[in-house]
């Protein structure tokens, strides 16, 4: 198995507001009950939180925030969190200033996917990226872009990636899950899900992001040199 650095980062897009009914006597439809799972990133749970058979618990350190998930039948993995000051991303910042946040995040998501698409075959011959998709939305009232892809090797899924990138005006947050085939994957797993486990966890991941708040409370610090 060949180690290969993973790239993760995605985009933003504003949701269009829904217009009201022209009939004043027509009642608005009842709001759908939210299936969001509340996650306060400034205070990740120290004790296991149980949701639909999955247990969640803070498993990060002072440098790398993370939320670990385990299931008695579906395996284990982690939700990883990174953040980037816009001052350290001159191309992204230029895109924001020229075309707005939504366009900048779309560009950055596509740029990230293209980097992975070019990188994987170099260190992982015979691999092929499929099922690339982008979905704009919001997280904690901030514009966000969810994106993901699968990687095949010899026609077999060996990597399953889902990312939410959230932009709050001066910081880009990247929250992701990755599933890796421990035997035939393109890099050594480091606390990641296995591919089937990541696919099973994905609906829960979307619910976690739907209920995420206080991304600025991640507590991320620059990692030590070396």
């Amino acid at each position: 198995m060949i180690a290969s650095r993973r790239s993760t980062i995605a985009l933003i897009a504003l949701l269009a507001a829904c217009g009201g009914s022209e009939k004043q006597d027509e009642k608005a439809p009842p709001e759908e009950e939210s299936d969001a799972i509340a996650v306060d990133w400034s205070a990740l749970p120290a004790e296991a939180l149980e949701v639909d058979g999955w247990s969640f618990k803070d498993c990060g350190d002072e440098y790398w925030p993370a939320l670990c998930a385990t299931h008695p039948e579906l395996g284990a993995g982690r939700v990883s969190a990174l953040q980037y000051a816009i001052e350290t991303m001159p191309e992204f910042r230029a895109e924001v200033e020229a075309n707005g946040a939504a366009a900048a995040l779309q560009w950055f998501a596509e740029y990230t996917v293209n980097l992975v698409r070019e990188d994987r075959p170099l260190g992982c011959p015979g691999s092929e990226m499929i099922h690339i998709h982008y979905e704009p939305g919001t997280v904690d009232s901030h514009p966000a872009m969810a994106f993901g892809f699968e990687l095949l090797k010899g026609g077999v899924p060996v990597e399953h990636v889902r990312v939410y990138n959230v932009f709050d005006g001066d910081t880009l947050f990247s929250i992701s899950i990755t599933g890796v085939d421990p035997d035939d994957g393109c890099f050594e797993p480091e606390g990641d899900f296995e591919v089937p486990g990541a696919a099973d966890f994905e609906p829960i991941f979307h619910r976690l992001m739907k209920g995420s708040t206080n991304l600025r409370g991640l507590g991320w610090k620059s990692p030590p040199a070396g």
Side-chain angles (χ1 to χ4, degrees):
M1 186 183 301
I2 302 175
S4 177
R5 183 179 180 179
R6 287 172 289 171
S7 300
T8 54
I9 295 199
L11 93 84
I12 205 175
L14 299 175
L15 293 173
C18 297
S21 171
E22 295 181 358
K23 297 181 180 180
Q24 296 183 1
D25 59 348
E26 183 175 341
K27 294 182 179 180
E31 293 185 0
E32 294 183 3
E33 183 177 351
S34 174
D35 63 350
I37 300 171
V39 176
D40 182 345
W41 286 91
S42 68
L44 293 177
E47 300 296 329
L49 172 67
E50 305 286 338
V51 178
D52 293 351
W54 288 92
S55 297
F56 307 97
K57 186 178 180 180
D58 180 11
C59 64
D61 57 32
E62 62 177 319
Y63 300 110
W64 308 112
L67 185 65
C68 283
T70 60
H71 191 285
E73 299 176 357
L74 303 177
R78 67 183 176 189
V79 181
S80 300
L82 296 173
Q83 61 183 4
Y84 306 87
I86 192 173
E87 288 80 5
T88 67
M89 307 172 69
E91 292 184 2
F92 178 77
R93 181 173 184 173
E95 193 71 22
V96 170
E97 293 173 348
N99 300 307
L105 290 172
Q106 178 70 48
W107 166 80
F108 193 60
E110 294 174 353
Y111 174 75
T112 300
V113 168
N114 287 334
L115 280 180
V116 177
R117 194 203 313 265
E118 294 173 1
D119 170 76
R120 288 298 187 269
L122 297 177
C124 196
S127 60
E128 173 190 9
M129 184 183 288
I130 63 169
H131 296 160
I132 305 167
H133 69 275
Y134 306 91
E135 184 177 350
T138 59
V139 171
D140 196 18
S141 300
H142 300 300
M145 175 59 70
F147 73 95
F149 59 85
E150 280 75 52
L151 205 72
L152 301 182
K153 186 177 178 183
V156 177
V158 295
E159 191 172 338
H160 182 102
V161 176
R162 294 293 181 267
V163 182
Y164 273 80
N165 284 335
V166 186
F167 183 58
D168 73 351
D170 57 23
T171 304
L172 181 68
F173 302 93
S174 182
I175 317 297
S176 65
I177 61 171
T178 301
V180 180
D181 186 310
D183 298 318
D184 296 320
C186 297
F187 57 86
E188 295 286 347
E190 299 177 358
D192 300 298
F193 294 90
E194 292 192 15
V195 173
D200 287 327
F201 182 73
E202 184 177 342
I204 298 292
F205 178 52
H206 292 312
R207 292 172 60 191
L208 287 169
M209 292 310 302
K210 191 175 181 180
S212 286
T213 57
N214 294 325
L215 289 172
R216 278 192 174 272
L218 281 170
W220 182 89
K221 301 177 181 179
S222 297

